[in-house]
Each structure stands twice: as C-alpha cells, then as structure tokens.
Amino acid sequence: MELRIVGCHGGETPRHKTSAFVLDDRVAIDAGSLTSGLELKAQCALEAVFVSHAHLDHIRDLATIADNRVQNGCKPLLVVGAKPTLAMLKRHFFNDKLWPDFSVIPTPAKPTIRYVELKPEVPVEIAGYRVRAIEVSHTIDSFAFIIESLKGGAIAYSGDTGPTDRLWKVLSDVKDLRAMLMEVSFPNREQKIATVSGHHTPQTLAVDLKKLPISKELPFLLYHIKPSFQSEVERECAKLKGFDLTIVGIGDQFVL
Ligand SMILES: [Zn+2]
Ligand SMILES: [Zn+2]
C-alpha cells in the first residue's frame, strides 16, 4: 500500500493543511485538503473517501471536490462513513443551502457523490479494501478506520480522538497491521483544552498506545498537531521512548 500525506494538521496556515490522506491513488481518508492538495486528475481518480467524522477540518474539501468532479464527468465518488457522519453531511453540508446536494447532481441515477454507510465494526469491501469503522472518543461521533487491502496488509487511522479503549482492543486482533495514523493535537500544558475537545497530548498518547500489545513494534504516523503548537508537540513526542513514532508532513509518502 502506498500512503500519501496530503494534509496532516489540526489547523491551517500556508504551511499547514487539514487532514487528508490518499491510499494507492484510489481512496482518500478524510477530505480536509483534498482539492488544495491534489491536481484535478488525482481528484478524479479517487473512488471513495472514508470520512471519520463531520468536523469541517475533515470534510471541507468534499464541497470543492464534488464541484470539480461534476465538471469533469468523473465517476460517482463514494462518501463512506458511519450513520451519524453521513446524517450530518446530508443535513448540514450538502443540503442545498450551504452547498448543493451533489448526491442528486447531475442526476439521481448518476450522481456526483454516493453515500455508503458503515455499521460500527462491520467490514465492507470498497475499492479493493475491507474497511471497518470503530467508534472513538471525540466531541461528536467520530470513528477510526481499519483498512485491510485485499492484496494483504492493513493500516489503521485513528480519526480525532482522546483516550479510548475499544479501538485498541479491536486493533490487537488485526493481522498484518503495518502502520497506524494516530492523532496528537495539543502540548501537555494544554491538557485541559485537549480533554474537553476530545484530543490527545503526548502524555495521554503514550498512555493510550500502551493499550495495544504490539505498540512497541508498530510504526505510528502522528498527525493533527495544531499549527500554533507544532514545534512544542514535536519536542514532547521526541521524548516519548519505546515507540516507533514519526510525525508526518505534507507530501510525505510511505510504502507500507
Ligand atoms: Zn474533530
Ligand atoms: Zn480535526
């Protein structure tokens, strides 16, 4: 599997982009920066977007990718997520007020986007992967994804979350897990805001990772750092010993 980091921050500046990742040029995980970070051809090549939750920094470019794709006659883009996420998108985003309802444009039979609902922890085959959504702990319904390639190997994506339990339990049974994209957002001194906003600091991250039996060997790719705290969080993560941690950057590519 080839993983490309399109955007990996918990905020935006000219040097920080909100969360969006692409697997094998076919599937995106979250859509925070899909159009600001991908050329039209790459946008059109996507078959599906796995959406972890409905916060704007993870969904915003669904608006602009839908607009670009309808103009280029691209295939319907599968917008994949759990029921609460899709309900928010339908009601508050593609609602013909904030943005057109691209699930019926240009026609209901061949729309620009097509919703695919994931039931919690039930694997579904999409675009060459078997994907499962696991509920995590955030301020709104938020889900991690376990994405298994039909050719072998799996990766996990945490979604926005603070300390959680179920995800680690489910992950401990995944075969051939090759890496995990894991959120960390605030420095330790901002623990209070991290806790109320459902995010990790390096200190809570270290406690949570230990819940996974293979946490010492598994490569963790850290994302979602708030731009205001980038260097501070990096320094604190560097002090966490006993884990294989990499803080990802825009444009990074990993062969997993
Ligand atoms: Zn969020
Ligand atoms: Zn976020």
Side-chain angles (χ1 to χ4, degrees):
M1 277 181 283
E2 191 179 280
L3 174 71
R4 186 163 152 197
I5 313 299
V6 182
C8 53
H9 300 103
E12 188 180 69
T13 77
R15 285 165 289 102
H16 300 82
K17 284 180 187 289
T18 50
S19 305
F21 307 87
V22 171
L23 260 183
D24 299 324
D25 300 322
R26 285 206 308 275
V27 161
I29 310 168
D30 281 337
S33 51
L34 277 186
T35 50
S36 67
L38 292 180
E39 295 296 341
L40 283 175
K41 208 173 152 197
Q43 292 178 31
C44 200
L46 293 175
E47 295 177 33
V49 183
F50 301 156
V51 184
S52 65
H53 68 304
H55 274 155
L56 271 180
D57 60 314
H58 298 256
I59 63 162
R60 48 194 268 181
D61 280 10
L62 288 176
T64 39
I65 200 170
D67 197 24
N68 286 338
R69 285 175 69 111
V70 73
Q71 289 156 25
N72 287 283
C74 312
K75 282 200 306 189
L77 177 68
L78 304 180
V79 175
V80 181
K83 193 172 189 172
T85 308
L86 300 188
M88 294 264 266
L89 287 175
K90 291 174 192 173
R91 182 158 183 209
H92 299 294
F93 197 74
F94 291 112
N95 61 0
D96 275 335
K97 295 187 179 76
L98 195 70
W99 203 244
D101 180 2
F102 277 100
S103 70
V104 295
I105 295 172
T107 68
K110 193 177 180 287
T112 309
I113 63 165
R114 194 168 271 153
Y115 296 109
V116 178
E117 184 188 320
L118 295 179
K119 296 205 170 18
E121 304 191 16
V122 178
V124 174
E125 278 185 27
I126 297 169
Y129 305 92
R130 195 175 296 112
V131 60
R132 257 184 292 175
I134 315 294
E135 190 165 10
V136 289
S137 307
H138 195 40
T139 52
I140 63 168
D141 295 292
S142 182
F143 292 81
F145 293 120
I146 298 169
I147 303 166
E148 295 166 279
S149 170
L150 298 184
K151 292 181 187 161
I155 66 158
Y157 176 72
S158 68
D160 282 8
T161 187
T164 192
D165 290 313
R166 178 68 188 158
L167 172 62
W168 304 115
K169 209 167 181 161
V170 177
L171 272 178
S172 57
D173 291 329
V174 174
K175 303 224 164 24
D176 202 8
L177 184 62
R178 295 181 183 176
M180 178 174 192
L181 280 157
M182 181 66 208
E183 90 118 270
V184 60
S185 298
F186 291 98
N188 292 333
R189 70 185 166 91
E190 298 287 344
Q191 187 60 56
K192 218 168 162 182
I193 184 80
T195 301
V196 296
S197 61
H199 287 295
H200 273 295
T201 60
Q203 65 192 359
T204 60
L205 177 72
V207 173
D208 243 40
L209 296 189
K210 284 181 190 148
K211 296 174 185 171
L212 182 67
I214 57 161
S215 67
K216 278 188 171 33
E217 305 90 56
L218 185 69
F220 288 99
L221 308 174
L222 303 181
Y223 76 100
H224 209 275
I225 297 173
K226 297 284 180 185
S228 313
F229 303 117
Q230 181 81 38
S231 49
E232 196 175 353
V233 174
E234 284 184 12
R235 277 198 305 278
E236 290 179 353
C237 287
K239 288 183 193 152
L240 301 179
K241 300 298 176 204
F243 303 108
D244 179 355
L245 306 178
T246 302
I247 292 169
V248 299
I250 296 166
D252 287 352
Q253 295 202 21
F254 299 88
V255 177
L256 304 166

